[in-house]
Amino acid sequence: MASQQPFTADDFGIYCVLTECTDHYDPFPVNEADENQPHFQGVTGLQNLGNTCYMNAILQCLCSISPLVEYFLSGKYITALQKDCSEVATAFAYVMTDMWLGDSDCVSPEIFWSAFGKLYPAFMKKTQQDAQEFLIYVLNELHETLKKYHRRRSYEKRSIPRSCRKMIANESSIITRLFEGQLNYSIICLKCENCTYKNEVFTVLSLPIPSKYECSLQDCLQCFFQQDTLAWDNQIYCSFCETKQETAVKANISKAPKIIVFHLKRFDILGTMKRKLRTDIHYPLTNLDLTPYICPIFRKHPKYNLCAVVNHSGDLDGGHYTAFCKNSVTHAWYNFDDARVSEIPDTSVQTATAYLLFYSCRPFSIPIQKRRS
């Protein structure tokens, strides 16, 4: 851990001291008209600290996922904290607490940004960053901070086909329980037809965009999961042939996560050429069917509902991130544009600027909270 003085897990006094430097003025003063507007839990804007719209959009999406909110607001995270690296998770809990239990329409994420930047200085430069990359770093850091070890035990039965077997991990956290899935790759040598299998865990699935102008999310999924042939420079070594051979590779989901995040690969780099794909991708708000891509014996929750979206407008060098999130208290959708928050109809959630899609296999309930004394 890079910090010299990590936060104490349950000491909100430290939080108050750290925020004193930003409390001398209010950049978002509340007028009398705003005071009459109802403030709902979890419907809170975030100050932009200088090109930090990518961070604000990700924080809004994560703070709209009820099981994660409940884990932090109830204080469960405190018992799981690793003593030597608790600063980021504690700062994350403080921001989430402000967003859900505070009475302000807008709060500052500076405590989290500062703690995270000590570990990953690239995100402190106040320059354009990729929201998808930031999300992966945040999930990984929270997992490392909150993980618990357990003995390896074999849960797999021999009757389960090798193509569907799940890899048994020896550590888990709230992040793996919610976001971690597993892909199973079948790898077939096209000369000797020997078949091997490879497992790979994921928290975000990066989907290719098969069309330049318009397509559906199912089109992207079909493109990702279709059988691919690896030839020429991409050949894979076959242990039976004892040389590299042309290979057919096909993936399926052997473990479907409770929250599945799709990254739509809009940023395309061909050599020195960079471009953004502005394809209008149609995605369902409810009943996304993943049945064709999940191993049959693990199809417990094959249908998913949209719970959050990260949007990217503009180009690669000068874009802006916003978020659409469905609130578990009001059951309404909201547009989060840094400090600005507005309710939007369901019909506005479908947009050609979608970059990250968060789907849940179950509807969210209102999180159980433990208020500060």
Side-chain angles (χ1 to χ4, degrees):
M1 190 71 177
S3 62
Q4 297 178 351
Q5 267 188 320
F7 296 155
T8 304
D10 55 352
D11 188 358
F12 281 94
I14 294 179
Y15 166 63
C16 295
V17 171
L18 288 172
T19 54
E20 281 182 358
C21 60
T22 59
D23 284 346
H24 60 281
Y25 79 100
D26 185 1
F28 299 98
V30 179
N31 57 42
E32 292 182 2
D34 292 333
E35 287 180 343
N36 295 327
Q37 298 297 320
H39 176 72
F40 297 108
Q41 292 176 312
V43 184
T44 305
L46 292 171
Q47 295 177 23
N48 191 313
L49 306 177
N51 278 328
T52 57
C53 57
Y54 68 91
M55 176 183 70
N56 289 348
I58 293 299
L59 288 178
Q60 291 290 2
C61 291
L62 293 179
C63 290
S64 69
I65 297 174
S66 287
L68 189 65
V69 173
E70 181 173 322
Y71 180 80
F72 280 92
L73 294 192
S74 66
K76 294 178 182 178
Y77 79 97
I78 296 174
T79 58
L81 282 174
Q82 304 291 323
K83 293 182 179 179
D84 58 340
C85 56
S86 63
E87 189 169 349
V88 170
T90 304
F92 182 78
Y94 289 154
V95 173
M96 185 176 287
T97 301
D98 277 348
M99 294 172 68
W100 275 85
L101 303 185
D103 54 8
S104 297
D105 293 327
C106 178
V107 298
S108 172
E110 186 170 359
I111 289 177
F112 177 80
W113 182 65
S114 177
F116 195 79
K118 290 179 183 179
L119 293 180
Y120 306 99
F123 293 108
M124 292 290 287
K125 295 179 180 179
K126 294 188 176 181
T127 56
Q128 291 287 328
Q129 301 288 346
D130 182 18
Q132 179 254 352
E133 182 181 7
F134 179 74
L135 171 63
I136 291 175
Y137 274 103
V138 170
L139 293 180
N140 182 68
E141 182 60 32
L142 290 177
H143 166 69
E144 290 297 320
T145 303
L146 301 168
K147 65 185 178 183
K148 291 185 177 181
Y149 296 92
H150 51 81
R151 293 181 179 179
R152 281 184 175 271
R153 291 186 293 174
S154 177
Y155 293 97
E156 302 286 22
K157 298 179 180 179
R158 292 187 178 180
S159 59
I160 296 178
R162 290 179 62 193
S163 61
C164 293
R165 291 182 185 175
K166 290 189 290 185
M167 190 165 50
I168 307 302
N170 63 348
E171 59 186 38
S172 65
S173 68
I174 183 63
I175 302 303
T176 59
R177 291 194 294 274
L178 291 178
F179 295 94
E180 188 176 271
Q182 181 180 286
L183 295 174
N184 183 277
Y185 291 92
S186 60
I187 306 167
I188 304 172
C189 174
L190 295 181
K191 184 174 182 179
C192 70
E193 297 185 350
N194 176 61
C195 185
T196 57
Y197 299 94
K198 177 185 176 182
N199 289 316
E200 181 181 281
V201 297
F202 69 88
T203 51
V204 177
L205 271 187
S206 293
L207 302 181
I209 300 175
S211 173
K212 193 174 182 179
Y213 302 105
E214 187 176 11
C215 68
S216 69
L217 180 58
Q218 283 291 353
D219 293 331
C220 298
L221 287 165
Q222 288 171 13
C223 186
F224 179 89
F225 286 103
Q226 70 182 359
Q227 182 170 294
D228 203 6
T229 300
L230 304 181
W232 301 101
D233 293 340
N234 296 319
Q235 290 181 353
I236 294 178
Y237 181 83
C238 176
S239 59
F240 281 77
C241 297
E242 297 185 340
T243 186
K244 288 186 176 181
Q245 298 287 2
E246 289 191 3
T247 307
V249 179
K250 185 172 174 55
N252 64 30
I253 300 175
S254 54
K255 176 193 172 186
K258 294 177 181 177
I259 309 293
I260 190 165
V261 184
F262 296 118
H263 163 226
L264 304 176
K265 297 172 70 173
R266 292 193 179 276
F267 303 138
D268 191 23
I269 302 177
L270 296 172
T272 58
M273 297 288 292
K274 298 180 181 179
R275 63 170 181 163
K276 179 183 176 182
L277 299 176
R278 303 182 185 275
T279 308
D280 190 1
I281 301 173
H282 301 279
Y283 45 89
L285 272 62
T286 59
N287 294 322
L288 172 65
D289 190 4
L290 296 182
T291 301
Y293 319 112
I294 302 177
C295 190
I297 60 176
F298 294 121
R299 290 175 182 166
K300 295 180 180 178
H301 308 290
K303 293 190 176 182
Y304 286 72
N305 295 326
L306 189 69
C307 56
V309 181
V310 171
N311 302 298
H312 181 270
S313 57
D315 53 34
L316 282 79
D317 300 317
H320 180 61
Y321 288 100
T322 60
F324 296 157
C325 302
K326 188 173 185 178
N327 184 268
S328 59
V329 177
T330 65
H331 302 290
W333 282 93
Y334 294 88
N335 175 30
F336 294 91
D337 185 354
D338 290 330
R340 296 178 292 276
V341 182
S342 58
E343 184 176 344
I344 58 174
D346 292 1
T347 53
S348 296
V349 178
Q350 173 70 57
T351 172
T353 59
Y355 182 54
L356 295 171
L357 302 173
F358 292 70
Y359 279 88
S360 171
C361 66
R362 295 174 182 172
F364 291 150
S365 58
I366 300 175
I368 300 173
Q369 304 152 14
K370 178 183 178 182
R371 291 187 176 273
R372 286 180 282 183
S373 56

